[in-house]
Amino acid sequence: MAFRCVTLPDGAEAPQPLTAASKSGMQSKSLFDPYSLGPVQLRNRIVMAPLTRSRAGKGDVPGEINAEYYEQRACAGLIISEATQVSKQGQGYLWTPGIYTGEQVQGWKNVVKAVHDRQGKIFLQMWHVGRISHTSLQPNGAAPISSTDRAAANTFSFALDENGKPGNVPASKPTLATIAQLRQVVCDYGQSARNAKEAGFDGAEVHGANGYLFDQYLNSVVNERTDEYGNQTKESRTRLLLEAFDAVAAVLGPDRVGVRIAPFGNFGDMKPDPKVEETFLYLAEELTRRSAVYMHVVRGSQFDVEPVVPLGFLEKLRKAFGASIIITGGLDQKKAKDLLAQGVADLVGFGMLFISNPDLPERFRNGWPLAPADHSTLYGGGAKGYTDYPTYQESQMTREVREPLDIR
Ligand SMILES: Cc1cc2nc3c(=O)[nH]c(=O)nc-3n(C[C@H](O)[C@H](O)[C@H](O)COP(=O)(O)O)c2cc1C
């Protein structure tokens, strides 16, 4: 396995002891400074955002190729794994990994070891898709569960079509989850946390973003329940996510558990929500009370012209939440630095850029050019467009060998 982060001449990417300033929270604002995320020491403030790549093996088990991919990117301060279903019911796409069988746990152990062997840090992103699924993926072909019985419009699951062939299929019509089903979801998060601990993860991120199960409860328009998990109050909208957080935190400790959110996001047919600030600022206060280690905000993406989350909201979130904030979405090095300087983020995440630049922190540090990602190989397939992106230095070595041969 080739490791993609070459040691820098000045050794600055190596983990360093914490300074008094960083221990007290008055940390330097450089992307390259070490950072203490609860008990986990990060070598820099650059986060590899969770990225579904749909390359798990049989039984949704992470394999060697997945370990190689994450190992190549271990130079990130923190890797957040691709979204990983906590149960069969939590799955919305074929070939995404799970963390609910013994084989899956073993597969993740190998991934975590590969990252740790390179002094990297990795959190598991824990996922339940709710209504963004298809009956062909659900246990016994059942309807997916949600906070509504309306299907997500113009939204696709990657599942088996009517001929049993893998493909994009419209997300199925869900059912309103019963209370017993919601209790089972919370249990599944607790069990998955035990599995994550066994696999050796440094921590976990509860996926509350991008229109999946918890977002379906947080959004007061999408959520059509009228009970204690319903849309009427901030307490009822946040209840399910906070119960899942508590179940995970009981196993890993709250200082190893973060939550990802996408306020103002519209992925997965999320609707504009007049209660968005009320909900998410209350969630921030509750997560502070529970000593969650971070909140991770999806700010937008490389495809958005404007950030989806306004700066004003990020400032309010900073006041409402007492621990670390990660911001991801549509960032380049300059925008990331600005967010640190504005004081709204402690850590900054990159998605697409990490796909095609396994050595992203070194490219930033040295001002090396960034490689573009091949969009046709984002999901599914093998090494092509996955583990075959070279580091900048590798790409230069290839060129040096090639150029002398180019004799005219
Ligand atoms: C191929 C791909 C897969 C993604 N998978 C996930 C995922 O598993 N979990 C998640 O929370 N977000 C996922 N995202 C969103 C990214 O984490 C990130 O928020 C988004 O790409 C915006 O950041 P960027 O502009 O730096 O790419 C995915 C995005 C892409 C492009």
Side-chain angles (χ1 to χ4, degrees), residues 49-52 83 125 207 210 260 300-302 328-330 350-352 379:
L51 291 162
T52 292
Q125 191 186 49
H207 193 346
N210 300 348
R260 192 171 215 217
S301 79
Q302 301 284 348
T328 296
F350 300 88
M352 288 298 288
Y379 303 105

Side-chain angles (χ1 to χ4, degrees), residues 53 355-356 372-378 384-385 389:
R53 305 302 308 278
I355 288 179
S356 46
D374 170 6
H375 287 236
S376 72
T377 50
L378 287 179
K384 188 172 177 325
Y389 286 108

Side-chain angles (χ1 to χ4, degrees), residues 237-320:
R237 294 190 293 274
T238 54
R239 191 177 315 281
L240 184 62
L241 172 50
L242 289 171
E243 286 180 356
F245 175 88
D246 289 342
V248 177
V251 177
L252 300 176
D255 57 354
R256 288 181 185 271
V257 187
V259 174
R260 192 171 215 217
I261 58 167
F264 305 93
N266 61 7
F267 192 77
D269 197 26
M270 284 292 101
K271 304 292 187 196
D273 182 359
K275 305 270 176 61
V276 61
E277 288 209 357
E278 178 189 304
T279 305
F280 284 97
L281 296 178
Y282 172 75
L283 180 66
E285 285 162 14
E286 282 300 305
L287 289 173
T288 305
R289 220 165 55 74
R290 289 164 160 82
S291 305
V293 73
Y294 70 72
M295 288 185 82
H296 182 179
V297 184
V298 180
R299 165 187 172 275
S301 79
Q302 301 284 348
F303 312 109
D304 301 313
V305 181
E306 296 292 330
V308 177
V309 178
L311 183 61
F313 175 82
L314 295 175
E315 288 167 349
K316 287 182 197 165
L317 188 72
R318 170 58 101 193
K319 287 204 181 98

Side-chain angles (χ1 to χ4, degrees), residues 41-311:
Q41 324 252 308
L42 311 184
R43 63 171 117 208
N44 57 49
R45 291 174 189 252
I46 299 169
V47 175
M48 176 176 162
L51 291 162
T52 292
R53 305 302 308 278
S54 308
R55 284 165 167 91
K58 195 162 169 276
D60 301 327
V61 174
E64 259 183 47
I65 193 169
N66 307 120
E68 181 180 358
Y69 164 79
Y70 283 109
E71 181 191 28
Q72 289 171 346
R73 289 156 180 80
C75 46
L78 176 67
I79 293 174
I80 302 170
S81 82
E82 65 209 270
T84 299
Q85 57 267 8
V86 297
S87 62
K88 184 70 187 146
Q89 186 194 59
Q91 184 170 17
Y93 309 86
L94 287 166
W95 313 324
T96 58
I99 183 90
Y100 57 90
T101 70
E103 292 77 23
Q104 291 165 352
V105 175
Q106 190 52 50
W108 279 119
K109 259 186 204 168
N110 298 334
V111 172
V112 172
K113 181 173 183 312
V115 172
H116 283 170
D117 283 350
R118 298 297 177 180
Q119 285 77 49
K121 298 289 154 66
I122 180 165
F123 273 39
L124 174 74
Q125 191 186 49
M126 301 172 76
W127 195 25
H128 192 303
V129 296
R131 68 175 177 164
I132 314 298
S133 188
H134 186 257
T135 48
S136 67
L137 291 173
Q138 292 292 308
N140 307 317
I145 59 162
S146 187
S147 58
T148 171
D149 58 9
R150 286 176 213 252
N154 306 316
T155 301
F156 294 86
S157 159
F158 187 76
L160 299 177
D161 64 17
E162 65 274 17
N163 303 316
K165 292 229 167 71
N168 288 325
V169 289
S172 299
K173 182 173 156 47
T175 54
L176 280 181
T178 63
I179 295 293
Q181 284 174 317
L182 294 183
R183 295 224 166 96
Q184 185 60 50
V185 168
V186 173
C187 285
D188 290 340
Y189 271 83
Q191 182 57 48
S192 294
R194 284 188 280 282
N195 294 348
K197 192 172 186 176
E198 193 189 327
F201 280 99
D202 297 291
E205 176 175 284
V206 176
H207 193 346
N210 300 348
Y212 296 113
L213 183 71
F214 298 128
D215 222 5
Q216 293 157 29
Y217 280 77
L218 294 169
N219 187 296
S220 74
V221 180
V222 172
N223 184 342
E224 295 187 299
R225 298 177 75 105
T226 53
D227 62 359
E228 67 262 44
Y229 295 94
N231 64 16
Q232 352 38 295
T233 66
K234 53 190 188 303
E235 290 83 1
S236 55
R237 294 190 293 274
T238 54
R239 191 177 315 281
L240 184 62
L241 172 50
L242 289 171
E243 286 180 356
F245 175 88
D246 289 342
V248 177
V251 177
L252 300 176
D255 57 354
R256 288 181 185 271
V257 187
V259 174
R260 192 171 215 217
I261 58 167
F264 305 93
N266 61 7
F267 192 77
D269 197 26
M270 284 292 101
K271 304 292 187 196
D273 182 359
K275 305 270 176 61
V276 61
E277 288 209 357
E278 178 189 304
T279 305
F280 284 97
L281 296 178
Y282 172 75
L283 180 66
E285 285 162 14
E286 282 300 305
L287 289 173
T288 305
R289 220 165 55 74
R290 289 164 160 82
S291 305
V293 73
Y294 70 72
M295 288 185 82
H296 182 179
V297 184
V298 180
R299 165 187 172 275
S301 79
Q302 301 284 348
F303 312 109
D304 301 313
V305 181
E306 296 292 330
V308 177
V309 178
L311 183 61

